[in-house]
Amino acid sequence: MRTLHTADEIAAEVGRVGAEIAEAYRGSRLTLVGVLTGGMVFLADLMRAIGIPHRTELVRTSSYRGTSTEPGRLAIDAGGLSDLSGRSVVVVDDILDSGQTLLRVSSAVREAGAASVASAALLWKSARTRDGILPDFCGFEIPDAFVVGYGLDFDGAYRHLPDIAVLDETDIARHRGERLPGSGSMEETRR
């Protein structure tokens, strides 16, 4: 794994994004809608960095299954959203990739009555984003690489890492328990 952004860099960006959101929504009825599960760490830190009163809601989405590094069919559960009538909503997610999650969650938020919908993403893979979708608030623009840590996972692992790191093919093979070309058994590789 190669570290892309350290915990200190992340903390500084979350503080900056939180201050931008607070300034943009001062005097508004603000609600943050966090996207689970990957966005939970960013949401927890971001809500503390926003120095104005706001509510928090959660939706669950999933598009990566198991050890896949390519998104599959997007499943979304927004049934638990409360009435958002007249509220300014910022959808908070860990990463803006293709933009499909943002589009679907934003649609659900509008259906719940939001007066306005914006987005905040800690990470943005601009090279993969389609249809001109842009985050309204963003921490880091990153290359098209599979990243883990700070809530982002691979097959449920690595969410606990304080930094954001890039997994390469060797890391992925090790995680899957695959024998690496030119190496001994996985046990020998760990020693």
Side-chain angles (χ1 to χ4, degrees):
M1 268 186 265
R2 174 178 55 87
T3 299
L4 189 61
H5 292 290
T6 66
D8 289 340
E9 292 169 337
I10 295 165
E13 280 302 290
V14 171
R16 182 190 60 76
V17 171
E20 284 182 9
I21 291 172
E23 183 61 30
Y25 291 96
R26 194 166 310 283
S28 298
R29 296 174 59 219
L30 176 62
T31 298
L32 303 179
V33 174
V35 179
L36 294 175
T37 300
M40 67 185 177
V41 177
F42 179 43
L43 176 66
D45 288 346
L46 183 63
M47 59 191 276
R48 291 188 298 246
I50 296 173
I52 61 172
H54 60 277
R55 290 187 349 200
T56 304
E57 300 275 342
L58 301 168
V59 296
R60 179 177 295 280
T61 66
S62 178
S63 62
Y64 290 88
R65 302 283 189 249
T67 59
S68 173
T69 58
E70 293 296 321
R73 180 172 158 74
L74 178 64
I76 186 168
D77 177 9
L81 282 178
S82 64
D83 180 9
L84 297 173
S85 295
R87 299 195 67 89
S88 298
V89 174
V90 176
V91 176
V92 178
D93 203 357
D94 54 359
I95 190 165
L96 176 58
D97 195 321
S98 71
Q100 296 311 298
T101 299
L102 175 60
L103 286 176
R104 297 270 307 276
V105 173
S106 295
S107 178
V109 165
R110 280 186 196 88
E111 289 174 17
S116 68
V117 182
S119 63
L122 177 63
L123 306 174
W124 178 30
K125 287 186 187 179
S126 60
R128 290 180 49 103
T129 307
R130 300 185 298 227
D131 303 324
I133 299 166
L134 303 171
D136 297 291
F137 303 95
C138 180
F140 303 99
E141 188 172 345
I142 65 168
D144 185 10
F146 198 91
V147 290
V148 295
Y150 196 75
L152 294 114
D153 76 306
F154 177 72
D155 192 26
Y158 309 112
R159 289 190 198 277
H160 69 286
L161 298 175
D163 301 330
I164 294 170
V166 174
L167 284 185
D168 63 25
E169 290 302 318
T170 303
D171 299 319
I172 292 168
R174 277 195 186 107
H175 180 82
R176 289 177 172 157
E178 296 171 1
R179 193 175 181 142
L180 302 173
S183 69
S185 70
M186 288 305 293
E187 267 314 301
E188 291 168 359
T189 304
R190 286 189 205 120
R191 289 186 198 150

